[in-house]
Amino acid sequence: MTENIEPDPELVGIRHYLHAHPERSFKEYDTSIYLADQLKAHGIEILDNPLETGVVGLIRGGGGPGPRVALRADIDGLPIVEDTGLPFASVNTGVMHGCGHDLHMTGLLGAAFRLAARRDRFAGSVKILFQPSEETGQGAFAMIGAGLLDDVDAIIGTHNNPNYAPGQVAVGADPMMAGCVRFQVTLHAEGTHAGYPHKGTGPIEAMASMVLELQTIVSRNISALHPLVLSVTEVHGGRVWNVVPAEAGFQGTVRYFHKEDSLLAERRFRAIVAHTAEAFGITADVEWDDFQDPVVSDASLARAVAADVPGYGELEPIRPSMAGEDFCEFADVTRTVFAFIGSNGAQGCADWHSPRFVGLDASIPTFVDFYEKAALRVLGELAAGR
Ligand SMILES: [Zn+2]
Ligand SMILES: [Zn+2]
């Protein structure tokens, strides 16, 4: 599918500008002005956006009324010092488009330009959503809270993926990005002289035991056919060598692809912590924050979108990512389709959030094609009542 790989010079210029000027989450002020200017320059209506950053555009089809589909791209950079050596590397020191959101913005602009130029081809409307603050996991929530999804019948999003080559697309009914839990455990004991442990209780042995036992959730409770990881990433307790402390604790994360697995993991987690604490004669508090659901597309819409991919790219199997995405929030309010678009594909290339992460310009045409074709396909599916 190499005929699509020569990117439009206007879009390459946009991409290089955006890459060189990344901004932090919820601080995407200049990015938002730039994106709105681009939409206006192509005759696209800008709608009111109650949020401080982000941009909302609307393209009304010339074919009369019909469903409304939203296309979403996230727009924030990361607090990373870029180390790619690219000629268009970040000029905002300490901030980098290290997740490739510059490619998402460029692809969505390209699709919006095309849809606006050929609006007579469709009925209904396409809402263009440039979402702030994906990296904090709060931007999608903010957009939903601001009512920006209220008039939308479905939403389509993408993430570039350096593990796929430019021209490759992965979209379908299988889970794509992991659900994410943050847990925090605090242990309360009596504390005592280290030479007289029998005169109190201590949290350290209980904590050590819990950290090991919790791995049996993965090895004994969850189906071996369902990926789930549990990582304890921080432990603390005690200050000095001769006192048994009264308090200790740990925190970490669970990543999963099936909601029922996270519910089972939570039940087992709480049981292991409570009963281990009891066995050691201490008490424990558990905070279980179900931070993000897995990203899973609406099955019938995703299959319809996938069927069009061979017309402009290579359809690849979904290789799920253990990273999270706040696109999952939209599934609570509307139908969703999410796709990975290949952005590098070289053996051993740096992945998202690395200072050496490089997304290639050659991926831009596939972003444009995907957003455009998926919007038209989903409008058609919705109009047909599917
Ligand atoms: Zn990211
Ligand atoms: Zn990202």
Side-chain angles (χ1 to χ4, degrees):
M1 292 297 153
T2 45
E3 73 268 24
N4 286 314
I5 298 298
E6 199 51 56
D8 174 345
E10 181 190 6
L11 294 180
V12 172
I14 288 172
R15 191 270 161 130
H16 291 186
Y17 177 85
L18 289 168
H19 189 86
H21 299 88
E23 293 175 290
R24 295 287 308 277
S25 304
F26 281 134
K27 304 277 183 230
E28 311 92 338
Y29 298 105
D30 293 342
T31 305
S32 301
I33 292 167
Y34 181 86
L35 293 168
D37 286 348
Q38 289 291 338
L39 292 178
K40 282 186 241 166
H42 285 79
I44 296 165
E45 183 185 348
I46 306 291
L47 301 188
D48 196 37
N49 173 23
L51 304 178
E52 268 192 48
T53 55
V55 178
V56 185
L58 186 67
I59 305 166
R60 291 177 206 276
R68 176 165 292 180
V69 168
L71 298 178
R72 171 270 204 180
D74 43 9
I75 69 172
D76 51 335
L78 286 158
I80 294 175
V81 178
E82 180 159 355
D83 184 23
T84 60
L86 290 170
F88 52 94
S90 174
V91 298
N92 297 344
T93 310
V95 189
M96 174 187 176
H97 270 304
C99 205
H101 297 179
D102 52 324
L103 289 171
H104 310 169
M105 291 185 269
T106 305
L108 181 47
L109 281 174
F113 299 166
R114 262 199 219 165
L115 288 164
R118 302 180 216 162
R119 61 180 85 212
D120 288 346
R121 289 179 304 167
F122 64 93
S125 55
V126 178
K127 196 169 188 178
I128 306 296
L129 291 179
F130 286 105
Q131 180 204 304
S133 202
E134 191 286 324
E135 296 292 355
T136 64
Q138 291 168 17
F141 257 138
M143 288 197 125
I144 293 166
L148 295 174
L149 275 292
D150 292 354
D151 59 353
V152 161
D153 300 301
I155 184 167
I156 298 163
T158 63
H159 208 291
N160 79 90
N161 191 321
N163 302 302
Y164 293 88
Q168 295 183 329
V169 177
V171 59
D174 294 333
M176 305 195 70
M177 298 188 77
C180 175
V181 170
R182 285 191 299 216
F183 60 76
Q184 204 166 350
V185 175
T186 309
L187 306 179
H188 307 282
E190 266 176 54
T192 177
H193 192 293
Y196 301 85
H198 58 288
K199 298 216 169 176
T201 57
I204 301 287
E205 296 74 17
M207 180 164 73
S209 177
M210 286 172 194
V211 168
L212 294 178
E213 282 174 33
L214 287 172
Q215 289 306 325
T216 65
I217 296 172
V218 182
S219 66
R220 301 292 88 181
N221 304 135
I222 302 293
S223 161
L225 302 175
H226 281 193
L228 179 144
V229 285
L230 186 155
S231 294
V232 174
T233 55
E234 184 265 353
V235 295
H236 62 271
R239 279 162 203 270
V240 290
W241 64 280
N242 57 358
V243 175
V244 174
E247 200 179 289
F250 59 95
Q251 52 184 332
T253 181
V254 174
R255 305 290 167 108
Y256 63 94
F257 290 103
H258 301 274
K259 193 71 194 173
E260 67 272 20
D261 292 342
S262 92
L263 298 173
L264 172 61
E266 180 181 3
R267 282 200 305 279
R268 294 298 307 143
F269 188 100
R270 289 184 184 279
I272 288 171
V273 169
H275 294 300
T276 307
E278 191 189 0
F280 283 86
I282 65 171
T283 61
D285 299 325
V286 174
E287 273 177 55
W288 184 273
D289 179 8
D290 224 331
F291 180 62
Q292 260 174 2
D293 283 341
V295 173
V296 190
S297 296
D298 177 281
S300 83
L301 292 181
R303 286 196 190 102
V305 166
D308 289 336
V309 172
Y312 58 89
E314 272 173 70
L315 184 63
E316 286 285 303
I318 291 170
R319 297 194 286 273
S321 163
M322 278 292 168
E325 233 294 344
D326 80 353
F327 191 79
C328 64
E329 310 298 348
F330 298 124
D332 290 338
V333 294
T334 189
R335 297 172 76 185
T336 60
V337 177
F338 196 73
F340 287 140
I341 310 286
S343 60
N344 191 307
Q347 195 84 38
C349 68
D351 216 314
W352 301 319
H353 295 207
S354 160
R356 292 191 309 282
F357 168 78
V358 173
L360 300 175
D361 289 342
S363 65
I364 294 171
T366 313
F367 274 100
V368 177
D369 281 330
F370 175 82
Y371 274 123
E372 181 207 15
K373 314 285 194 247
L376 296 174
R377 172 61 55 198
V378 171
L379 282 172
E381 292 293 299
L382 294 171
R386 289 192 287 267

